[in-house]
Amino acid sequence: MTIQPASLRIAILGSGKGSNAQCIIEAVASGSLDAQVACVLSDVEHAGILDRARRHGIPAEYVSAAPYRTKLAGDAERAYVDALKRYGANVVCLAGFMRIIKHGLLSAFPDRVLNIHPALLPAFPGLDSWKQALAYGAKVTGCTVHFVDAGTDTGPVIVQRAVPVHDDDTPDSLHARIQVEEHKAYPEALRLLAADRLRLEGRRVRVLPAP
Ligand code: GAR
């Protein structure tokens, strides 16, 4: 007997404009990603990501992460876990959520928290990675979708996509080129998860062939 994995109920957490959230929502709406978007949560009250979700009829909530500035911890972490459970989410996608995720949320969703990072990890972790790539003089950068672990941008890599850095790039032009690839990478990673084709082996993610 084959045990079918539960279908994905995705919660998206973001702090900004929400272009990655939009791509995930569109992939679900078009049928190219077999999943549901259960909710969108933001730690920024008027973030664009909440408007985008509401325009698609998806439950969208501002959940304060105060009093911390850069992490999700304590009462705020509990409020997020409560909201995620309330919406029946079984996978959590960080999409421009600008906080460090701690044990409480990770242990509530083991191996089910994903993040998108605007660089080819392990290069340029942390903030403003496209600016870091420019300042370093990298000729190639890109984006990474990875499982989130207890470190900062250190979890097992699921999908990476590369982009060239051009001599005349500005931070904005480079970030825009990276985002084009992000918008392919996140749905691609979620399609693999939805099809139960990802196997974690240590810190390596093995992708099973399509049936
Ligand atoms: C994306 O480029 C994402 O990779 C980045 O924030 C942007 C959010 O854009 N995340 C990080 O830098 C996390 N360290 P979006 O709101 O349009 O999806």
Side-chain angles (χ1 to χ4, degrees):
M1 187 178 77
T2 313
I3 297 173
Q4 292 297 327
S7 64
L8 296 193
R9 282 187 57 82
I10 299 168
I12 306 173
L13 273 53
S15 309
K17 66 183 193 294
S19 68
N20 279 288
Q22 176 93 36
C23 287
I24 295 169
I25 291 166
E26 284 173 2
V28 169
S30 72
S32 73
L33 170 58
D34 183 15
Q36 288 173 285
V37 180
C39 64
V40 171
L41 306 179
S42 181
D43 59 334
V44 175
E45 192 165 3
H46 300 294
I49 192 171
L50 293 174
D51 294 332
R52 289 197 199 238
R54 289 182 186 123
R55 277 201 294 276
H56 287 84
I58 291 165
E61 268 191 44
Y62 159 64
V63 182
S64 169
Y68 305 105
R69 273 191 331 112
T70 57
K71 64 181 176 185
L72 185 64
D75 288 346
E77 182 184 59
R78 280 185 284 280
Y80 271 79
V81 171
D82 287 351
L84 293 167
K85 300 272 182 202
R86 183 159 31 89
Y87 286 114
N90 59 16
V91 57
V92 179
C93 291
L94 309 180
F97 190 65
M98 305 309 278
R99 289 177 181 273
I100 310 288
I101 302 298
K102 298 292 196 186
H103 178 74
L105 195 148
L106 293 176
S107 61
F109 297 91
D111 299 332
R112 300 288 275 188
V113 183
L114 281 65
N115 180 44
I116 186 147
H117 183 78
L120 296 175
L121 291 170
F124 312 127
L127 296 177
D128 294 341
S129 305
W130 58 95
K131 292 184 189 168
Q132 294 186 51
L134 268 184
Y136 188 85
K139 300 296 187 193
V140 175
T141 185
C143 65
T144 303
V145 181
H146 63 95
F147 287 112
V148 177
D149 66 8
T152 301
D153 302 325
T154 53
V157 170
I158 304 170
V159 169
Q160 292 189 304
R161 297 182 69 96
V163 303
V165 181
H166 297 159
D167 287 344
D168 59 355
D169 263 329
T170 63
D172 283 351
S173 67
L174 181 56
H175 189 210
R177 193 174 310 116
I178 291 169
Q179 287 223 282
V180 171
E181 299 308 312
E182 290 187 333
H183 299 159
K184 300 173 193 159
Y186 225 153
E188 184 184 341
L190 288 166
R191 273 193 285 275
L192 293 171
L193 188 67
D196 195 28
R197 290 178 55 200
L198 300 178
R199 292 293 176 272
L200 251 179
E201 296 176 352
R203 62 155 297 115
R204 297 184 69 181
V205 177
R206 192 155 62 93
V207 178
L208 301 183

